[in-house]
Amino acid sequence: MRSPAKRDDMLVHEREPYNAEPPRGALTDALTPIEAFYGRNHGPFPDVDRTAWRLRVRGMVTRPLELSLDDLRSRFTRHEEIATLQCAGNRRAGLMAVHDIPGQHPWGPGATSTARWAGARLADVLDAAGLDPGVTDIAFDAPDVAPEADPPQGFGGSIPAAKATAAEVLLVWEMNGEPLPAAHGAPVRVVVPGHIGARSVKWVETITARDRPSDNFFQTSAYRLLPADLTDPAPGDGIALGAVALNSEILCPDDGDDLIAGPVDVTGYAFVGDDRTVVRVDVSVDGGRTWAQADLDDQVSRWAWRTWHTTVDLPPGPATITARAWDSSADLQPEHPASVWNPKGYVNNAWPVVTVTGHDR
Ligand SMILES: Nc1nc2c(c(=O)[nH]1)N[C@H]1C(S)=C(S)[C@@H](COP(=O)(O)O)O[C@H]1N2
Ligand SMILES: [Mo]
């Protein structure tokens, strides 16, 4: 497949495999247009023939299934869910500024986007297959082979069975009302709202019911939070990433902007996974000495980010704008990226900062 149809001003970290994020300003709406939606790929796009494509459901099930796209669409009820995808590497650049992370892309704040997804509930498909009582995890496998996967294997991962059978997890064939684009996993991808993007496996071919997490490289070795001093990790080391940690970003103004001193509109997003919700966002223009609460925009879906806005009084001269989000468990984002630095550069959820200059009119 050629390069996906994206905005000209995407920040391309890598052309092949395609890894790109939109500029901050492209993410201010509740829903992200497909041409701005970030792309994160570990290997080249696979060639999938949609008529020959079959979804296999196997493992610890009573009735193994083999479903065509037509089977999936006709046998199961179509459901929609507006959900944010967020890569575990989102905002990694902030960790790399603390200490280099070789071999990883320096993602800014744009490795996250929100779409309206439609497809079948994974729960309904698992129900048709009949899960054995001992099932604890549901694994997904795709055909695209990443150079980093050791040994060579397709992309894959798993989620706990309790999440897999929740109503929000979909097998998706539509994105923002259009057929799912090839670059985002056509004919069918998994969307796991509230969990790291890596579990939303694109071009999914096999679903396996298991009594332990997936053995796939991207479950056992990648997407794990390692202690900062671990230099030679083995598979299974560190914390497997699942639900998305509380995070936020400033989308407007952009870092480095020259502005007129005085009232300045500030907007951003805040997001947290699974059973927590964003309940408060504070903004500071004096480096965190004093804070004012931002207005939270209406949340378009339980599984979408919360966009927010406020107006600050920007002083003349160089200034920093800082934000920090709170969630329904009274958790607050950590202040410094240094305190969350980890060898693979995941989950930078430190306070976002943009540096701007206020000019006299
Ligand atoms: N088959 C497959 N699925 C995949 C990936 C991949 O490389 N291959 N990348 C994952 C990661 S790390 C993320 S963050 C999301 C990105 O989805 P997008 O490219 O549609 O934005 O897809 C996930 N699903
Ligand atoms: Mo990711």
Side-chain angles (χ1 to χ4, degrees):
M1 195 181 51
R2 295 164 299 113
S3 275
K6 295 287 172 187
R7 292 165 60 112
D8 294 340
D9 59 356
M10 293 292 279
L11 252 104
V12 179
H13 296 291
E14 195 178 3
R15 292 240 159 249
E16 174 79 46
Y18 184 76
N19 282 286
E21 64 183 298
R24 280 175 207 265
L27 289 177
T28 51
D29 292 330
L31 285 183
T32 314
I34 290 175
E35 63 267 20
F37 204 100
Y38 79 102
R40 172 72 181 106
N41 297 287
H42 294 81
F45 293 128
D47 252 322
V48 187
D49 173 352
R50 78 167 49 226
T51 50
W53 177 86
R54 294 292 180 276
L55 178 65
R56 293 188 174 77
V57 186
R58 54 170 213 193
M60 297 171 64
V61 296
T62 322
R63 297 168 294 275
L65 305 176
E66 194 174 309
L67 303 164
S68 68
L69 183 55
D70 280 347
D71 294 335
L72 199 58
R73 298 176 70 127
S74 60
R75 284 182 52 185
F76 301 95
T77 309
R78 177 183 174 283
H79 291 275
E80 283 189 0
E81 207 68 74
I82 295 177
T84 297
L85 290 192
Q86 190 157 104
C87 185
N90 189 38
R91 309 185 65 223
R92 178 181 287 129
L95 299 178
M96 295 171 93
V98 174
H99 186 65
D100 193 26
I101 300 172
Q104 303 283 344
H105 298 306
W107 292 96
T112 183
S113 298
T114 302
R116 180 191 302 273
W117 310 96
R121 282 193 176 137
L122 176 60
D124 291 349
V125 173
L126 294 176
D127 199 44
L131 292 181
D132 292 351
V135 172
T136 57
D137 296 85
I138 302 295
F140 312 114
D141 285 282
D144 55 316
V145 178
E148 76 203 80
D150 178 24
Q153 60 197 285
F155 186 89
S158 62
I159 56 173
K163 180 72 181 179
T165 51
E168 67 272 12
V169 180
L170 298 181
L171 296 167
V172 157
W173 57 76
E174 258 177 65
M175 181 177 185
N176 289 352
E178 292 177 33
L180 184 69
H184 293 288
V188 172
R189 80 175 301 168
V190 187
V191 168
V192 185
H195 280 226
I196 62 161
R199 308 305 177 221
S200 289
V201 174
K202 300 187 271 193
W203 313 290
V204 61
E205 282 183 342
T206 312
I207 297 176
T208 312
R210 298 168 54 93
D211 60 4
R212 72 200 78 154
S214 168
D215 296 320
N216 189 279
F217 173 85
F218 292 96
Q219 186 76 37
T220 61
S221 298
Y223 293 105
R224 303 186 75 93
L225 200 70
L226 301 170
D229 59 353
L230 188 61
T231 46
D232 191 17
D237 283 348
I239 304 166
L241 298 173
V244 174
L246 175 65
N247 212 335
S248 74
E249 256 297 350
I250 297 166
L251 294 174
C252 194
D254 203 348
D255 199 39
D257 273 359
D258 285 305
L259 303 163
I260 308 285
V264 165
D265 290 337
V266 182
T267 69
Y269 65 70
F271 187 55
V272 62
D274 264 14
D275 42 12
R276 299 183 181 192
T277 53
V278 171
V279 295
R280 184 174 132 194
V281 172
D282 301 334
V283 177
S284 172
V285 279
D286 57 13
R289 219 168 43 80
T290 61
W291 297 88
Q293 285 189 44
D295 292 317
L296 302 180
D297 300 330
D298 287 343
Q299 192 160 8
V300 292
S301 142
R302 166 77 183 73
W303 299 105
W305 56 23
R306 195 92 197 241
T307 56
W308 52 266
H309 68 274
T310 191
T311 305
V312 299
D313 190 18
L314 186 71
T320 59
I321 304 176
T322 310
R324 61 179 194 189
W326 303 74
D327 74 18
S328 49
S329 66
D331 195 16
L332 164 66
Q333 288 181 251
E335 180 171 355
H336 296 295
S339 69
V340 292
W341 191 93
N342 62 95
K344 295 267 187 108
Y346 300 129
V347 201
N348 176 19
N349 68 337
W351 298 355
V353 181
V354 296
T355 303
V356 297
T357 308
H359 296 274
D360 289 319
R361 186 181 293 279

